[in-house]
C-alpha cells in the first residue's frame, strides 16, 4: 500500500491551530493534493486556509466550519460527494474535566462516528474506491491522542476507549476484508491550547504544578 502523502486528499478535524494545523502543514509540505480543515473556529479556519493557499497554491486548503458533534451527516456527505478522500485524521479534542458529557462527545463519540462514516464509505468489500496500484484502498483513519496527566480522569478514560476502538477496528481481519488501515498516534506532551483546559477542582493545584514542570515539545510552523 502506498503511504506517500503526495497527491492525497486529507480531512482533519480540529485543524486550524496546534497539532492539527501542523499536521496539515506537513501533509502539504510533502505534496498532498488538498487539505480539508474542519473546525468550529471560523476566524482561525479562514486564516489557516488562506495561509496554506498563499504558501502552497490555489485549492490546496479548504476550510469548512464544523461542529463534529452535530454536523457529521451534512459535512461528511458534502465532502465525500466532492472529493475522493484518502485520509481522515481525527485530531479534535478538549480538556474539560468539569463537563463529562461534552468531553466524551468530542473526544470519543464524535471520533467513533466520523471514523465509521468514512470507514464504511471506503470498504472495498462493499464497492469502496480501489487503490491506485495494489487493489487495496489507499486510505487511513488516524487519530492523535495527546499524552495525559494521570489525574485527568475523564480525558484518560476517553483515551482508553479510543485505543480499544483502534485495536478492534484496525484488527488484521478487518483490514484484510475492507482494505482500510486504522492508526492511532500519541505525540507526547506538546505546548498547545488544549493544555489550558479545565481540570477537576481537587486536581487543579497538582495539574498546574505538573504543567509547569513537565517537559514539552513545541510546534514550529
Amino acid at each position: 500500500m502506498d503511504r506517500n502523502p503526495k497527491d492525497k486528499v486529507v480531512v482533519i478535524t480540529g485543524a486550524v491551530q496546534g497539532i492539527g494545523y501542523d499536521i496539515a502543514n506537513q501533509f502539504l509540505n510533502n505534496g498532498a493534493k488538498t487539505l480539508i480543515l474542519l473546525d468550529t473556529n471560523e476566524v482561525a479556519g479562514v486564516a489557516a486556509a488562506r495561509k496554506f493557499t498563499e504558501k502552497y497554491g490555489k485549492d490546496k486548503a479548504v476550510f469548512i466550519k464544523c461542529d463534529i458533534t452535530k454536523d457529521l451527516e451534512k459535512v461528511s456527505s458534502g465532502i465525500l460527494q466532492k472529493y475522493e478522500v484518502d485520509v481522515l485524521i481525527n485530531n479534535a479534542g478538549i480538556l474539560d474535566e468539569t463537563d463529562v458529557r461534552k468531553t466524551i462527545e468530542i473526544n470519543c463519540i464524535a471520533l467513533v462516528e466520523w471514523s465509521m462514516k468514512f470507514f464504511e464509505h471506503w470498504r472495498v468489500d462493499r464497492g469502496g474506491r480501489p487503490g491506485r496500484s495494489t487493489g487495496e484502498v489507499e486510505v487511513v483513519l488516524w487519530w492523535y491522542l495527546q499524552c495525559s496527566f494521570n489525574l485527568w480522569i475523564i480525558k484518560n478514560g476517553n483515551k482508553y476507549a479510543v485505543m480499544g476502538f483502534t485495536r478492534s477496528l484496525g484488527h488484521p481481519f478487518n483490514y484484510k476484508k475492507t482494505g482500510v488501515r486504522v492508526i492511532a498516534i500519541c505525540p507526547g506532551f506538546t505546548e498547545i491550547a488544549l493544555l489550558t483546559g479545565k481540570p477537576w477542582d481537587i486536581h487543579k493545584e497538582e495539574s498546574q504544578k505538573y504543567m509547569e514542570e513537565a517537559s514539552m515539545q513545541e510546534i514550529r510552523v
Side-chain angles (χ1 to χ4, degrees), residues 2-216:
D2 179 14
R3 300 188 181 185
N4 190 330
K6 184 175 175 58
D7 296 327
K8 296 294 191 294
V9 176
V10 183
V11 176
I12 307 177
T13 68
V16 303
Q17 59 186 349
I19 293 176
Y21 183 91
D22 189 46
I23 294 170
N25 184 65
Q26 293 299 327
F27 265 94
L28 288 170
N29 193 48
N30 284 278
K33 180 179 180 180
T34 304
L35 265 291
I36 302 170
L37 316 175
L38 306 183
D39 208 290
T40 57
N41 189 333
E42 187 170 10
V43 173
V46 171
R50 183 177 64 250
K51 289 179 182 178
F52 287 142
T53 298
E54 292 172 352
K55 184 176 182 180
Y56 296 105
K58 184 180 179 181
D59 298 327
K60 283 293 186 177
V62 177
F63 169 70
I64 301 175
K65 185 177 182 180
C66 174
D67 181 337
I68 60 170
T69 67
K70 300 176 181 178
D71 300 331
L72 170 60
E73 295 302 327
K74 178 180 68 175
V75 173
S76 66
S77 62
I79 291 172
L80 294 174
Q81 287 174 14
K82 186 174 182 179
Y83 300 95
E84 286 195 349
V85 179
D86 298 284
V87 182
L88 168 67
I89 299 178
N90 290 287
N91 171 73
I94 64 169
L95 170 60
D96 188 349
E97 299 286 287
T98 68
D99 193 331
V100 174
R101 182 173 295 277
K102 182 179 179 181
T103 298
I104 294 174
E105 286 179 345
I106 293 175
N107 293 358
C108 188
I109 296 175
L111 180 148
V112 171
E113 290 178 338
W114 280 79
S115 298
M116 294 310 300
K117 172 64 69 173
F118 280 74
F119 190 95
E120 292 289 350
H121 177 77
W122 285 326
R123 288 176 55 177
V124 293
D125 61 318
R126 290 190 175 177
R129 182 166 59 88
R132 294 181 178 87
S133 60
T134 63
E136 298 174 317
V137 175
E138 294 180 314
V139 295
V140 56
L141 295 167
W142 285 7
W143 27 86
Y144 273 70
L145 303 174
Q146 177 78 354
C147 278
S148 295
F149 178 40
N150 287 334
L151 295 184
W152 293 341
I153 297 171
I154 310 305
K155 189 172 187 301
N156 279 354
N158 292 171
K159 286 184 61 178
Y160 280 108
V162 171
M163 289 307 299
F165 175 66
T166 303
R167 289 177 179 274
S168 297
L169 187 61
H171 190 280
F173 176 87
N174 295 331
Y175 170 69
K176 184 177 180 180
K177 192 173 183 66
T178 67
V180 182
R181 286 191 295 133
V182 181
I183 298 171
I185 298 176
C186 301
F189 269 114
T190 308
E191 290 189 12
I192 57 174
L194 180 146
L195 296 182
T196 62
K198 300 176 182 178
W200 193 15
D201 60 348
I202 65 172
H203 297 149
K204 186 174 182 179
E205 183 177 339
E206 289 78 5
S207 182
Q208 180 62 35
K209 181 179 179 181
Y210 186 84
M211 290 297 97
E212 293 173 353
E213 297 177 352
S215 177
M216 297 192 191

